[in-house]
Amino acid sequence: MPTSVVDPMPETTVRPDFARAAALGVDGADIIGSLRLFIAGNTASTFEDRGEQYDVVVRGPERFRSHIEALAMLSVPSRTLGSVPLSDVVVIDAGTGPAQINRLSRMRQVAITSNLAPGGKENEVMAALGKIVAAQKLPPGYKAEPFGRSRESAKVGAAFAFAFFLAFVFMYLVLAAQFESWVHPLTILICLPLTVPFALMAVILFGIQLDMFSMLGLLVLFGVVKKNSILQIDQSNQLRATGMPRFEAIMEANRSRLRPILMTTVAFVAGMLPLVFSHGIGSGFSKSMASIVVGGQTLSLLLTLLATPVFYSLFDDAGLAVKRVLGQLFPRQVIDRGEQEVLAASSSRTNEG
């Protein structure tokens, strides 16, 4: 049985005829809404499948929306006539134009999105794209800039540098108030930069990216390492307050605090292991944070345990040397008030005699 075939619709533009639409009682918003529903579609609902959420889009079948004749028969609501054909209120011209116009900061934009290949790194991709855009030599009025996650990744370096600076400042002030010393906080915080190379080794070992979540893991790692140093130094100060020599106090503090340090470290690392080996939805974010904590803490544990007492001894010697120098530069004048009173009384008796 023969069937008629309608030629596909060429590149076409549809312009509302507002004067004719007003005469027929058709609102311009109804024309645009009908076209958008028929051509682009409208999200009517959503459904989930294996943890992923998908939109349910309702729009006209492609065999109708892809032909001028079928598009002309689309009806639009009218306040006076009920409904009228679309062809009565629009002008259909052959031409080209964008299917959708997106804007950012009142400027037209064209978004280019992509997914990273397995093993790819976002910072390397962004650097390569920057070189490609620079080679295009865009004319005035055109520019390329990242958006979404890529834009936030470009900001994360400076933001976390400022966060690390504030973290060190506040930790130093709190520790200075706790130990009533300006030297012991330096002994504790000097061990934190020693963990950074081991944290970077963990990034390479687990094959993760150095992103915002791994930076959060680095902050957590600093907190754990700082806690170990506090235990050692606090115990050393307590033993020295009882009259024990410095070397014996350091050795005894390391011996007595080794067990609680190992217990808390092993418990903390064991609690992070499920996140490291997780493969569920959103596991990539938690894996980045947990991997840098587990790898950095495990690899740097021995170094920090040995470095803390060494720095404690060195800074203690430096503090004593500074006190001696200041004492020589600004000597204190000790006044014996009892001796002055005796001399005054003796001189008064001599005058009376």
Side-chain angles (χ1 to χ4, degrees):
M1 180 176 179
T3 58
S4 61
V5 179
V6 181
D7 293 334
M9 183 172 59
E11 296 292 340
T12 306
T13 59
V14 178
R15 295 182 292 103
D17 188 346
F18 293 106
R20 186 171 178 78
L24 296 177
V26 178
D27 190 8
D30 293 333
I31 299 175
I32 298 173
S34 300
L35 282 172
R36 181 172 60 245
L37 175 62
F38 189 74
I39 302 297
N42 188 25
T43 302
S45 180
T46 59
F47 80 97
E48 292 188 4
D49 182 23
R50 288 177 288 185
E52 296 290 339
Q53 192 175 56
Y54 301 92
D55 294 332
V56 179
V57 180
V58 179
R59 64 175 180 173
E62 185 174 356
R63 67 178 183 273
F64 295 123
R65 68 174 186 266
S66 300
H67 300 87
I68 297 177
E69 292 82 357
L71 184 63
M73 292 187 295
L74 178 67
S75 61
V76 294
S78 171
R79 295 189 299 271
T80 58
L81 302 177
S83 63
V84 297
L86 179 67
S87 58
D88 292 345
V89 292
V90 299
V91 178
I92 302 177
D93 297 327
T96 60
Q100 183 177 358
I101 298 177
N102 297 321
R103 297 182 183 274
L104 179 64
S105 300
R106 297 184 177 183
M107 298 177 62
R108 288 192 178 188
Q109 68 160 353
V110 177
I112 301 175
T113 60
S114 63
N115 294 324
L116 291 175
K121 297 182 180 180
E122 186 173 353
N123 55 352
E124 296 179 357
V125 174
M126 293 302 300
L129 284 176
K131 294 180 179 178
I132 294 174
V133 172
Q136 298 299 317
K137 298 181 180 179
L138 299 177
Y142 292 85
K143 64 179 180 178
E145 59 182 16
F147 71 97
R149 178 178 173 181
S150 300
R151 180 172 59 185
E152 297 303 322
S153 299
K155 298 179 181 178
V156 71
F160 268 98
F162 184 66
F164 284 138
F165 172 74
L166 291 181
F168 273 83
V169 170
F170 285 117
M171 282 191 293
Y172 180 82
L173 295 177
V174 171
L175 292 173
Q178 178 181 358
F179 288 99
E180 298 181 355
S181 172
W182 297 106
V183 177
H184 294 317
L186 292 177
T187 308
I188 296 172
L189 298 180
I190 198 75
C191 296
L192 300 186
L194 299 178
T195 62
V196 174
F198 297 100
L200 297 179
M201 291 174 60
V203 170
I204 300 174
L205 180 63
F206 289 100
I208 61 176
Q209 298 184 21
L210 193 61
D211 53 9
M212 179 174 61
F213 300 96
S214 58
M215 291 292 184
L216 288 175
L218 187 60
L219 282 176
V220 177
L221 177 62
F222 283 169
V224 179
V225 174
K226 176 176 66 67
K227 180 265 303 176
N228 296 340
S229 300
I230 290 175
L231 290 177
Q232 292 175 280
I233 293 177
D234 182 64
Q235 183 67 10
S236 299
N237 289 340
Q238 292 182 10
L239 294 176
R240 293 184 65 184
T242 61
M244 183 178 294
R246 185 181 66 185
F247 179 77
E248 286 76 4
I250 293 175
M251 298 302 294
E252 178 61 24
N254 292 338
R255 187 193 65 79
S256 60
R257 291 302 185 187
L258 178 60
R259 182 177 179 182
I261 289 175
L262 292 178
M263 290 174 60
T264 54
T265 301
V266 171
F268 188 75
V269 170
M272 286 289 181
L273 287 178
L275 298 178
V276 175
F277 299 104
S278 60
H279 297 284
I281 299 174
S283 60
F285 302 137
S286 57
K287 184 175 181 179
S288 297
M289 181 180 66
S291 298
I292 201 168
V293 173
V294 171
Q297 177 61 34
T298 304
L299 297 174
S300 64
L301 177 61
L302 180 60
L303 178 61
T304 54
L305 289 177
L306 296 176
T308 299
V310 173
F311 284 120
Y312 177 81
S313 178
L314 292 177
F315 281 120
D316 189 66
D317 291 337
L320 294 176
V322 170
K323 288 182 179 179
R324 287 195 299 266
V325 172
L326 293 178
Q328 295 176 359
L329 295 177
F330 307 100
R332 294 184 179 182
Q333 296 181 358
V334 180
I335 300 175
D336 192 344
R337 299 186 181 274
E339 182 180 357
Q340 290 182 353
E341 293 176 358
V342 171
L343 293 176
S346 62
S347 62
S348 62
R349 287 195 300 267
T350 303
N351 295 331
E352 291 177 357

mmCIF file of all heavy atoms in Angstrom, residues 224-268:
data_model
loop_
_atom_site.group_PDB
_atom_site.id
_atom_site.type_symbol
_atom_site.label_atom_id
_atom_site.label_comp_id
_atom_site.label_asym_id
_atom_site.label_seq_id
_atom_site.Cartn_x
_atom_site.Cartn_y
_atom_site.Cartn_z
ATOM 1 N N VAL A 224 45.820 14.956 63.367
ATOM 2 C CA VAL A 224 46.268 13.708 64.010
ATOM 3 C C VAL A 224 47.738 13.798 64.381
ATOM 4 O O VAL A 224 48.151 13.408 65.485
ATOM 5 C CB VAL A 224 46.008 12.513 63.074
ATOM 6 C CG1 VAL A 224 46.492 11.219 63.708
ATOM 7 C CG2 VAL A 224 44.533 12.412 62.748
ATOM 8 N N VAL A 225 48.568 14.304 63.489
ATOM 9 C CA VAL A 225 50.000 14.416 63.772
ATOM 10 C C VAL A 225 50.239 15.390 64.921
ATOM 11 O O VAL A 225 51.100 15.155 65.789
ATOM 12 C CB VAL A 225 50.753 14.851 62.495
ATOM 13 C CG1 VAL A 225 52.216 15.110 62.805
ATOM 14 C CG2 VAL A 225 50.617 13.789 61.418
ATOM 15 N N LYS A 226 49.503 16.467 64.953
ATOM 16 C CA LYS A 226 49.649 17.446 66.030
ATOM 17 C C LYS A 226 49.292 16.821 67.376
ATOM 18 O O LYS A 226 49.946 17.095 68.396
ATOM 19 C CB LYS A 226 48.747 18.645 65.753
ATOM 20 C CG LYS A 226 48.736 19.698 66.849
ATOM 21 C CD LYS A 226 47.903 20.876 66.432
ATOM 22 C CE LYS A 226 46.436 20.497 66.302
ATOM 23 N NZ LYS A 226 45.827 20.147 67.595
ATOM 24 N N LYS A 227 48.281 15.982 67.387
ATOM 25 C CA LYS A 227 47.879 15.324 68.640
ATOM 26 C C LYS A 227 49.001 14.437 69.183
ATOM 27 O O LYS A 227 49.247 14.411 70.404
ATOM 28 C CB LYS A 227 46.607 14.513 68.385
ATOM 29 C CG LYS A 227 46.056 13.778 69.592
ATOM 30 C CD LYS A 227 46.539 12.338 69.660
ATOM 31 C CE LYS A 227 46.181 11.589 68.398
ATOM 32 N NZ LYS A 227 46.740 10.206 68.430
ATOM 33 N N ASN A 228 49.701 13.711 68.318
ATOM 34 C CA ASN A 228 50.806 12.863 68.774
ATOM 35 C C ASN A 228 51.920 13.696 69.403
ATOM 36 O O ASN A 228 52.484 13.338 70.452
ATOM 37 C CB ASN A 228 51.364 12.053 67.606
ATOM 38 C CG ASN A 228 50.341 11.079 67.033
ATOM 39 O OD1 ASN A 228 49.359 10.732 67.700
ATOM 40 N ND2 ASN A 228 50.546 10.655 65.810
ATOM 41 N N SER A 229 52.252 14.824 68.793
ATOM 42 C CA SER A 229 53.310 15.671 69.344
ATOM 43 C C SER A 229 52.909 16.291 70.671
ATOM 44 O O SER A 229 53.735 16.449 71.578
ATOM 45 C CB SER A 229 53.653 16.782 68.329
ATOM 46 O OG SER A 229 54.107 16.228 67.113
ATOM 47 N N ILE A 230 51.631 16.630 70.813
ATOM 48 C CA ILE A 230 51.163 17.197 72.088
ATOM 49 C C ILE A 230 51.330 16.199 73.214
ATOM 50 O O ILE A 230 51.751 16.553 74.331
ATOM 51 C CB ILE A 230 49.691 17.642 71.947
ATOM 52 C CG1 ILE A 230 49.593 18.863 71.027
ATOM 53 C CG2 ILE A 230 49.090 17.970 73.307
ATOM 54 C CD1 ILE A 230 48.177 19.293 70.739
ATOM 55 N N LEU A 231 51.024 14.932 72.948
ATOM 56 C CA LEU A 231 51.166 13.919 73.986
ATOM 57 C C LEU A 231 52.621 13.801 74.440
ATOM 58 O O LEU A 231 52.899 13.691 75.642
ATOM 59 C CB LEU A 231 50.666 12.574 73.461
ATOM 60 C CG LEU A 231 49.156 12.432 73.240
ATOM 61 C CD1 LEU A 231 48.832 11.071 72.646
ATOM 62 C CD2 LEU A 231 48.396 12.639 74.541
ATOM 63 N N GLN A 232 53.553 13.814 73.503
ATOM 64 C CA GLN A 232 54.966 13.673 73.865
ATOM 65 C C GLN A 232 55.468 14.886 74.644
ATOM 66 O O GLN A 232 56.123 14.741 75.686
ATOM 67 C CB GLN A 232 55.801 13.488 72.599
ATOM 68 C CG GLN A 232 55.568 12.177 71.864
ATOM 69 C CD GLN A 232 56.334 12.114 70.570
ATOM 70 O OE1 GLN A 232 55.930 12.669 69.557
ATOM 71 N NE2 GLN A 232 57.478 11.439 70.595
ATOM 72 N N ILE A 233 55.173 16.069 74.168
ATOM 73 C CA ILE A 233 55.720 17.267 74.797
ATOM 74 C C ILE A 233 55.077 17.521 76.153
ATOM 75 O O ILE A 233 55.753 17.925 77.118
ATOM 76 C CB ILE A 233 55.532 18.470 73.855
ATOM 77 C CG1 ILE A 233 56.408 18.277 72.617
ATOM 78 C CG2 ILE A 233 55.882 19.780 74.562
ATOM 79 C CD1 ILE A 233 56.243 19.361 71.599
ATOM 80 N N ASP A 234 53.791 17.293 76.268
ATOM 81 C CA ASP A 234 53.116 17.515 77.546
ATOM 82 C C ASP A 234 53.674 16.590 78.621
ATOM 83 O O ASP A 234 53.919 17.012 79.764
ATOM 84 C CB ASP A 234 51.617 17.302 77.378
ATOM 85 C CG ASP A 234 50.860 17.566 78.668
ATOM 86 O OD1 ASP A 234 50.875 18.714 79.143
ATOM 87 O OD2 ASP A 234 50.249 16.615 79.204
ATOM 88 N N GLN A 235 53.906 15.325 78.276
ATOM 89 C CA GLN A 235 54.472 14.388 79.248
ATOM 90 C C GLN A 235 55.904 14.770 79.615
ATOM 91 O O GLN A 235 56.302 14.666 80.790
ATOM 92 C CB GLN A 235 54.425 12.973 78.680
ATOM 93 C CG GLN A 235 54.929 11.880 79.623
ATOM 94 C CD GLN A 235 54.025 11.693 80.823
ATOM 95 O OE1 GLN A 235 52.921 12.235 80.874
ATOM 96 N NE2 GLN A 235 54.490 10.926 81.803
ATOM 97 N N SER A 236 56.688 15.239 78.646
ATOM 98 C CA SER A 236 58.054 15.663 78.938
ATOM 99 C C SER A 236 58.073 16.846 79.906
ATOM 100 O O SER A 236 58.878 16.895 80.844
ATOM 101 C CB SER A 236 58.780 16.036 77.637
ATOM 102 O OG SER A 236 58.860 14.933 76.754
ATOM 103 N N ASN A 237 57.177 17.802 79.702
ATOM 104 C CA ASN A 237 57.118 18.960 80.601
ATOM 105 C C ASN A 237 56.717 18.557 82.021
ATOM 106 O O ASN A 237 57.238 19.088 83.009
ATOM 107 C CB ASN A 237 56.140 19.995 80.055
ATOM 108 C CG ASN A 237 56.670 20.690 78.815
ATOM 109 O OD1 ASN A 237 57.866 20.700 78.560
ATOM 110 N ND2 ASN A 237 55.774 21.270 78.038
ATOM 111 N N GLN A 238 55.777 17.634 82.131
ATOM 112 C CA GLN A 238 55.355 17.187 83.455
ATOM 113 C C GLN A 238 56.490 16.480 84.194
ATOM 114 O O GLN A 238 56.675 16.676 85.410
ATOM 115 C CB GLN A 238 54.152 16.252 83.330
ATOM 116 C CG GLN A 238 52.877 16.937 82.852
ATOM 117 C CD GLN A 238 51.703 15.981 82.781
ATOM 118 O OE1 GLN A 238 51.773 14.849 83.255
ATOM 119 N NE2 GLN A 238 50.614 16.433 82.171
ATOM 120 N N LEU A 239 57.255 15.659 83.484
ATOM 121 C CA LEU A 239 58.368 14.963 84.133
ATOM 122 C C LEU A 239 59.476 15.937 84.522
ATOM 123 O O LEU A 239 60.094 15.798 85.586
ATOM 124 C CB LEU A 239 58.913 13.877 83.200
ATOM 125 C CG LEU A 239 57.952 12.710 82.898
ATOM 126 C CD1 LEU A 239 58.573 11.753 81.888
ATOM 127 C CD2 LEU A 239 57.597 11.957 84.176
ATOM 128 N N ARG A 240 59.735 16.929 83.692
ATOM 129 C CA ARG A 240 60.765 17.915 84.036
ATOM 130 C C ARG A 240 60.336 18.783 85.221
ATOM 131 O O ARG A 240 61.181 19.254 85.984
ATOM 132 C CB ARG A 240 61.061 18.798 82.830
ATOM 133 C CG ARG A 240 61.726 18.059 81.668
ATOM 134 C CD ARG A 240 62.076 19.009 80.542
ATOM 135 N NE ARG A 240 63.089 19.982 80.953
ATOM 136 C CZ ARG A 240 63.519 20.980 80.189
ATOM 137 N NH1 ARG A 240 63.004 21.120 78.962
ATOM 138 N NH2 ARG A 240 64.442 21.818 80.627
ATOM 139 N N ALA A 241 59.030 18.996 85.365
ATOM 140 C CA ALA A 241 58.544 19.777 86.506
ATOM 141 C C ALA A 241 58.787 19.062 87.831
ATOM 142 O O ALA A 241 58.875 19.703 88.887
ATOM 143 C CB ALA A 241 57.054 20.074 86.344
ATOM 144 N N THR A 242 58.921 17.738 87.804
ATOM 145 C CA THR A 242 59.212 16.976 89.030
ATOM 146 C C THR A 242 60.702 16.967 89.364
ATOM 147 O O THR A 242 61.093 16.368 90.377
ATOM 148 C CB THR A 242 58.714 15.539 88.876
ATOM 149 O OG1 THR A 242 59.393 14.904 87.781
ATOM 150 C CG2 THR A 242 57.211 15.502 88.606
ATOM 151 N N GLY A 243 61.535 17.588 88.509
ATOM 152 C CA GLY A 243 62.968 17.625 88.761
ATOM 153 C C GLY A 243 63.776 16.666 87.927
ATOM 154 O O GLY A 243 65.002 16.599 88.075
ATOM 155 N N MET A 244 63.151 15.909 87.036
ATOM 156 C CA MET A 244 63.881 14.956 86.200
ATOM 157 C C MET A 244 64.670 15.710 85.132
ATOM 158 O O MET A 244 64.178 16.675 84.558
ATOM 159 C CB MET A 244 62.893 13.988 85.531
ATOM 160 C CG MET A 244 63.560 12.895 84.688
ATOM 161 S SD MET A 244 62.367 11.730 83.958
ATOM 162 C CE MET A 244 61.738 10.954 85.455
ATOM 163 N N PRO A 245 65.904 15.333 84.847
ATOM 164 C CA PRO A 245 66.686 15.976 83.787
ATOM 165 C C PRO A 245 66.000 15.871 82.432
ATOM 166 O O PRO A 245 65.175 14.979 82.209
ATOM 167 C CB PRO A 245 68.021 15.216 83.811
ATOM 168 C CG PRO A 245 68.099 14.632 85.189
ATOM 169 C CD PRO A 245 66.696 14.324 85.595
ATOM 170 N N ARG A 246 66.378 16.784 81.552
ATOM 171 C CA ARG A 246 65.668 16.874 80.278
ATOM 172 C C ARG A 246 65.782 15.612 79.445
ATOM 173 O O ARG A 246 64.780 15.100 78.918
ATOM 174 C CB ARG A 246 66.193 18.064 79.479
ATOM 175 C CG ARG A 246 65.418 18.306 78.184
ATOM 176 C CD ARG A 246 66.000 19.469 77.425
ATOM 177 N NE ARG A 246 67.353 19.164 76.959
ATOM 178 C CZ ARG A 246 68.126 20.056 76.342
ATOM 179 N NH1 ARG A 246 67.697 21.293 76.169
ATOM 180 N NH2 ARG A 246 69.340 19.718 75.940
ATOM 181 N N PHE A 247 66.985 15.054 79.311
ATOM 182 C CA PHE A 247 67.156 13.876 78.464
ATOM 183 C C PHE A 247 66.355 12.696 78.995
ATOM 184 O O PHE A 247 65.658 12.001 78.246
ATOM 185 C CB PHE A 247 68.640 13.514 78.376
ATOM 186 C CG PHE A 247 68.904 12.305 77.535
ATOM 187 C CD1 PHE A 247 68.878 12.390 76.142
ATOM 188 C CD2 PHE A 247 69.159 11.066 78.122
ATOM 189 C CE1 PHE A 247 69.127 11.265 75.359
ATOM 190 C CE2 PHE A 247 69.399 9.945 77.341
ATOM 191 C CZ PHE A 247 69.381 10.045 75.961
ATOM 192 N N GLU A 248 66.446 12.453 80.333
ATOM 193 C CA GLU A 248 65.685 11.351 80.912
ATOM 194 C C GLU A 248 64.183 11.594 80.787
ATOM 195 O O GLU A 248 63.407 10.662 80.552
ATOM 196 C CB GLU A 248 66.057 11.160 82.377
ATOM 197 C CG GLU A 248 67.433 10.526 82.621
ATOM 198 C CD GLU A 248 68.572 11.520 82.403
ATOM 199 O OE1 GLU A 248 68.266 12.719 82.145
ATOM 200 O OE2 GLU A 248 69.747 11.110 82.471
ATOM 201 N N ALA A 249 63.761 12.857 80.904
ATOM 202 C CA ALA A 249 62.334 13.164 80.771
ATOM 203 C C ALA A 249 61.839 12.902 79.348
ATOM 204 O O ALA A 249 60.739 12.373 79.155
ATOM 205 C CB ALA A 249 62.074 14.622 81.155
ATOM 206 N N ILE A 250 62.651 13.244 78.360
ATOM 207 C CA ILE A 250 62.257 13.001 76.967
ATOM 208 C C ILE A 250 62.152 11.512 76.687
ATOM 209 O O ILE A 250 61.175 11.042 76.070
ATOM 210 C CB ILE A 250 63.263 13.669 76.013
ATOM 211 C CG1 ILE A 250 63.173 15.190 76.128
ATOM 212 C CG2 ILE A 250 63.017 13.230 74.578
ATOM 213 C CD1 ILE A 250 64.206 15.918 75.308
ATOM 214 N N MET A 251 63.132 10.744 77.134
ATOM 215 C CA MET A 251 63.114 9.308 76.882
ATOM 216 C C MET A 251 61.947 8.626 77.595
ATOM 217 O O MET A 251 61.271 7.758 77.029
ATOM 218 C CB MET A 251 64.444 8.684 77.328
ATOM 219 C CG MET A 251 65.650 9.220 76.582
ATOM 220 S SD MET A 251 65.530 8.985 74.783
ATOM 221 C CE MET A 251 65.590 7.190 74.708
ATOM 222 N N GLU A 252 61.671 9.018 78.822
ATOM 223 C CA GLU A 252 60.563 8.421 79.558
ATOM 224 C C GLU A 252 59.219 8.805 78.946
ATOM 225 O O GLU A 252 58.293 7.982 78.882
ATOM 226 C CB GLU A 252 60.616 8.872 81.024
ATOM 227 C CG GLU A 252 59.477 8.356 81.889
ATOM 228 C CD GLU A 252 59.443 6.842 81.975
ATOM 229 O OE1 GLU A 252 60.508 6.191 81.768
ATOM 230 O OE2 GLU A 252 58.348 6.296 82.238
ATOM 231 N N ALA A 253 59.099 10.064 78.477
ATOM 232 C CA ALA A 253 57.851 10.497 77.847
ATOM 233 C C ALA A 253 57.604 9.735 76.548
ATOM 234 O O ALA A 253 56.466 9.335 76.262
ATOM 235 C CB ALA A 253 57.897 11.998 77.583
ATOM 236 N N ASN A 254 58.649 9.508 75.770
ATOM 237 C CA ASN A 254 58.477 8.750 74.530
ATOM 238 C C ASN A 254 58.064 7.311 74.814
ATOM 239 O O ASN A 254 57.228 6.738 74.104
ATOM 240 C CB ASN A 254 59.771 8.774 73.718
ATOM 241 C CG ASN A 254 60.084 10.152 73.178
ATOM 242 O OD1 ASN A 254 59.199 10.995 73.043
ATOM 243 N ND2 ASN A 254 61.350 10.401 72.897
ATOM 244 N N ARG A 255 58.655 6.736 75.860
ATOM 245 C CA ARG A 255 58.319 5.347 76.179
ATOM 246 C C ARG A 255 56.876 5.218 76.696
ATOM 247 O O ARG A 255 56.131 4.333 76.282
ATOM 248 C CB ARG A 255 59.291 4.815 77.241
ATOM 249 C CG ARG A 255 59.136 3.316 77.530
ATOM 250 C CD ARG A 255 59.880 2.929 78.786
ATOM 251 N NE ARG A 255 59.295 3.592 79.953
ATOM 252 C CZ ARG A 255 58.181 3.166 80.562
ATOM 253 N NH1 ARG A 255 57.557 2.091 80.115
ATOM 254 N NH2 ARG A 255 57.719 3.808 81.591
ATOM 255 N N SER A 256 56.475 6.114 77.588
ATOM 256 C CA SER A 256 55.151 5.998 78.186
ATOM 257 C C SER A 256 54.032 6.423 77.237
ATOM 258 O O SER A 256 52.899 5.945 77.362
ATOM 259 C CB SER A 256 55.082 6.846 79.456
ATOM 260 O OG SER A 256 55.320 8.217 79.170
ATOM 261 N N ARG A 257 54.333 7.329 76.303
ATOM 262 C CA ARG A 257 53.292 7.797 75.387
ATOM 263 C C ARG A 257 53.264 7.030 74.065
ATOM 264 O O ARG A 257 52.379 7.282 73.238
ATOM 265 C CB ARG A 257 53.512 9.278 75.073
ATOM 266 C CG ARG A 257 53.265 10.193 76.265
ATOM 267 C CD ARG A 257 51.877 10.026 76.797
ATOM 268 N NE ARG A 257 51.569 10.976 77.866
ATOM 269 C CZ ARG A 257 50.459 10.954 78.588
ATOM 270 N NH1 ARG A 257 49.564 9.997 78.359
ATOM 271 N NH2 ARG A 257 50.247 11.843 79.528
ATOM 272 N N LEU A 258 54.187 6.103 73.850
ATOM 273 C CA LEU A 258 54.195 5.372 72.593
ATOM 274 C C LEU A 258 52.936 4.519 72.431
ATOM 275 O O LEU A 258 52.334 4.476 71.347
ATOM 276 C CB LEU A 258 55.441 4.487 72.519
ATOM 277 C CG LEU A 258 55.574 3.618 71.255
ATOM 278 C CD1 LEU A 258 55.626 4.494 70.012
ATOM 279 C CD2 LEU A 258 56.808 2.722 71.345
ATOM 280 N N ARG A 259 52.514 3.857 73.498
ATOM 281 C CA ARG A 259 51.343 2.983 73.395
ATOM 282 C C ARG A 259 50.060 3.752 73.061
ATOM 283 O O ARG A 259 49.344 3.358 72.124
ATOM 284 C CB ARG A 259 51.182 2.192 74.689
ATOM 285 C CG ARG A 259 50.019 1.214 74.654
ATOM 286 C CD ARG A 259 49.939 0.410 75.929
ATOM 287 N NE ARG A 259 48.815 -0.510 75.912
ATOM 288 C CZ ARG A 259 48.475 -1.310 76.925
ATOM 289 N NH1 ARG A 259 49.207 -1.297 78.037
ATOM 290 N NH2 ARG A 259 47.439 -2.123 76.804
ATOM 291 N N PRO A 260 49.708 4.826 73.776
ATOM 292 C CA PRO A 260 48.484 5.554 73.387
ATOM 293 C C PRO A 260 48.565 6.172 72.000
ATOM 294 O O PRO A 260 47.546 6.257 71.297
ATOM 295 C CB PRO A 260 48.345 6.622 74.473
ATOM 296 C CG PRO A 260 49.666 6.717 75.134
ATOM 297 C CD PRO A 260 50.277 5.373 75.028
ATOM 298 N N ILE A 261 49.763 6.600 71.585
ATOM 299 C CA ILE A 261 49.890 7.154 70.232
ATOM 300 C C ILE A 261 49.611 6.083 69.187
ATOM 301 O O ILE A 261 48.872 6.305 68.220
ATOM 302 C CB ILE A 261 51.288 7.766 70.042
ATOM 303 C CG1 ILE A 261 51.422 9.062 70.851
ATOM 304 C CG2 ILE A 261 51.566 8.045 68.566
ATOM 305 C CD1 ILE A 261 52.798 9.667 70.824
ATOM 306 N N LEU A 262 50.182 4.897 69.367
ATOM 307 C CA LEU A 262 49.951 3.815 68.415
ATOM 308 C C LEU A 262 48.494 3.364 68.433
ATOM 309 O O LEU A 262 47.917 3.047 67.382
ATOM 310 C CB LEU A 262 50.875 2.641 68.727
ATOM 311 C CG LEU A 262 52.372 2.871 68.493
ATOM 312 C CD1 LEU A 262 53.168 1.628 68.884
ATOM 313 C CD2 LEU A 262 52.636 3.240 67.044
ATOM 314 N N MET A 263 47.890 3.322 69.612
ATOM 315 C CA MET A 263 46.486 2.893 69.704
ATOM 316 C C MET A 263 45.561 3.847 68.945
ATOM 317 O O MET A 263 44.718 3.421 68.154
ATOM 318 C CB MET A 263 46.064 2.792 71.171
ATOM 319 C CG MET A 263 46.707 1.644 71.939
ATOM 320 S SD MET A 263 46.305 1.680 73.694
ATOM 321 C CE MET A 263 44.518 1.542 73.633
ATOM 322 N N THR A 264 45.711 5.133 69.176
ATOM 323 C CA THR A 264 44.845 6.101 68.500
ATOM 324 C C THR A 264 45.119 6.147 67.001
ATOM 325 O O THR A 264 44.194 6.275 66.192
ATOM 326 C CB THR A 264 45.044 7.497 69.102
ATOM 327 O OG1 THR A 264 46.439 7.839 69.059
ATOM 328 C CG2 THR A 264 44.576 7.524 70.544
ATOM 329 N N THR A 265 46.390 6.011 66.610
ATOM 330 C CA THR A 265 46.720 6.053 65.192
ATOM 331 C C THR A 265 46.163 4.847 64.458
ATOM 332 O O THR A 265 45.559 4.978 63.380
ATOM 333 C CB THR A 265 48.244 6.121 65.004
ATOM 334 O OG1 THR A 265 48.751 7.286 65.657
ATOM 335 C CG2 THR A 265 48.600 6.169 63.524
ATOM 336 N N VAL A 266 46.348 3.655 65.032
ATOM 337 C CA VAL A 266 45.839 2.440 64.393
ATOM 338 C C VAL A 266 44.314 2.470 64.314
ATOM 339 O O VAL A 266 43.714 2.094 63.294
ATOM 340 C CB VAL A 266 46.333 1.195 65.150
ATOM 341 C CG1 VAL A 266 45.644 -0.063 64.644
ATOM 342 C CG2 VAL A 266 47.838 1.052 65.012
ATOM 343 N N ALA A 267 43.667 2.933 65.380
ATOM 344 C CA ALA A 267 42.202 3.008 65.369
ATOM 345 C C ALA A 267 41.714 4.004 64.317
ATOM 346 O O ALA A 267 40.730 3.747 63.604
ATOM 347 C CB ALA A 267 41.693 3.404 66.753
ATOM 348 N N PHE A 268 42.397 5.121 64.199
ATOM 349 C CA PHE A 268 41.989 6.129 63.228
ATOM 350 C C PHE A 268 42.190 5.632 61.801
ATOM 351 O O PHE A 268 41.315 5.816 60.934
ATOM 352 C CB PHE A 268 42.785 7.415 63.464
ATOM 353 C CG PHE A 268 42.313 8.577 62.657
ATOM 354 C CD1 PHE A 268 41.156 9.251 62.992
ATOM 355 C CD2 PHE A 268 43.033 9.000 61.551
ATOM 356 C CE1 PHE A 268 40.721 10.327 62.238
ATOM 357 C CE2 PHE A 268 42.604 10.079 60.802
ATOM 358 C CZ PHE A 268 41.448 10.747 61.149
#
